[in-house]
Amino acid sequence: MNNTDMEVLQKCLQWQNESRRVTLATVVKTWGSSPRPVGSLLALRDDGLLAGSVSGGCIEADLIERVRTASPTQPEVLTYGGTAEECHRFSLPCGGTLQLVLEPAPNALVLQAILDALTQRRLIGRRIELATGRTMLYLPHIDEATQFDGQSLTTVHGPSWRLLLIGAGQISRYLAQMALALDYQVQACDPREEYSAAWDVAGAKLVPGMPDDAVTASRPDLRSAVIALTHDPKLDDMALLEALKSPAFYVGAIGSNANNQRRRERLRLFDLSEAEIGRLHGPVGLPIGSRTPPEIAVSILAELTAVRHGIELVVLPAAANGPLTCEPLAAVS
């Protein structure tokens, strides 16, 4: 779950506590091109106020009209698109179809339990039977996702993705700003006063202390990433020693291939296994020819996004003096 989805559930709970009628819409299936992925949430208040999104806006307009005129009294399934006329009417991409489950008055106690679990960074699942509206919570597997079989809807809610940056320089600033836009919770650590004193990225907390202590204090989990960006081995390596032993889904370090090879040799002098050292992404980011700080930030976030979604990439050598390219592993014969 990302921060925007958590905001949707918070709004649902707030509006119900204010004695307003609320409908929760969940994207359960898509065919062809679709504006929002399965699992996306939208909360609609009885007066048309909304939080979240399931499309670019036209489906929301139709849903607002529905709840204003006759809010649903039991869970129901809606399908948009599928025909050229509907795609044009609802501004769906060519051939796109979107299926939603509308859930009136989602159980407030269940919503609070989900929000409590997310605050404690615990994974939690919710299952609702459409025929009865009966809802239950359960402990899902880490790989589970939203599922709908026509009879029941299962949604899986996880804590926000987190990103700890070692270094508060220019690349970190751009990376923090972009990561915040992707709903990461961002922190930065840099004991060098000339860098930390200038850190002013709104929404990205600067944590004090040394990098290894910052990694340990953040308690990285399967939704955490740690990236070393200081170019100072004394600082970067300290953080990596802790991060590579953690469950973090991504650990990376800036620098050339040669620098990262030397870094791996240094890490072998400590209590890290070859498997742990092999988890290091270095050089960090995808080889897209990035040179400027914002371009490097884009390449890093591109790789983070691929890893998050389980996309394995392989770097393909190009013709002599040509650029490197990368493709999904499944596309490589």
Side-chain angles (χ1 to χ4, degrees), residues 163-169 171-172 175 187-192 199 206-207 209-216 218 225-240 243 251-254:
L163 175 59
L164 173 61
L165 303 175
I166 306 304
I171 293 175
S172 293
L175 184 53
Q187 293 185 326
C189 175
D190 198 325
R192 302 170 301 180
W199 184 260
L206 184 70
V207 295
M210 298 300 290
D212 53 338
D213 293 331
V215 173
T216 302
S218 71
V226 180
I227 302 178
L229 298 164
T230 70
H231 288 287
D232 184 340
K234 295 189 299 296
L235 300 178
D236 288 346
D237 291 3
M238 290 172 62
L240 295 174
V251 179
I254 201 167

Side-chain angles (χ1 to χ4, degrees), residues 136-306:
M136 62 168 288
L137 296 174
Y138 72 101
L139 180 62
H141 188 271
I142 187 67
D143 295 327
E144 279 191 58
T146 296
Q147 298 180 47
F148 179 60
D149 61 8
Q151 310 276 321
S152 63
L153 168 64
T154 300
T155 59
V156 178
H157 308 281
S160 299
W161 298 91
R162 295 187 297 167
L163 175 59
L164 173 61
L165 303 175
I166 306 304
Q170 196 174 26
I171 293 175
S172 293
R173 292 170 61 85
Y174 282 106
L175 184 53
Q177 292 166 355
M178 295 178 189
L180 287 168
L182 294 179
D183 286 324
Y184 281 90
Q185 291 181 354
V186 181
Q187 293 185 326
C189 175
D190 198 325
R192 302 170 301 180
E193 186 176 353
E194 62 272 24
Y195 288 95
S196 59
W199 184 260
D200 60 354
V201 179
K205 180 183 178 182
L206 184 70
V207 295
M210 298 300 290
D212 53 338
D213 293 331
V215 173
T216 302
S218 71
R219 300 177 65 183
D221 54 26
L222 292 171
R223 288 174 175 257
S224 302
V226 180
I227 302 178
L229 298 164
T230 70
H231 288 287
D232 184 340
K234 295 189 299 296
L235 300 178
D236 288 346
D237 291 3
M238 290 172 62
L240 295 174
L241 284 170
E242 298 301 324
L244 289 170
K245 292 184 287 187
S246 79
F249 81 93
Y250 184 99
V251 179
I254 201 167
S256 66
N257 281 307
N259 284 338
N260 272 284
Q261 184 56 41
R262 289 192 290 270
R263 174 178 285 116
R264 289 180 174 89
E265 292 170 1
R266 292 194 301 270
L267 293 174
R268 289 188 177 93
L269 301 176
F270 297 88
D271 60 337
L272 289 177
S273 68
E274 283 299 317
E276 289 169 335
I277 295 172
R279 297 181 57 226
L280 177 64
H281 292 264
V284 69
L286 298 182
I288 59 174
S290 51
R291 295 183 180 277
T292 67
E295 289 175 346
I296 294 170
V298 167
S299 76
I300 294 172
L301 277 177
E303 187 173 37
L304 274 176
T305 302

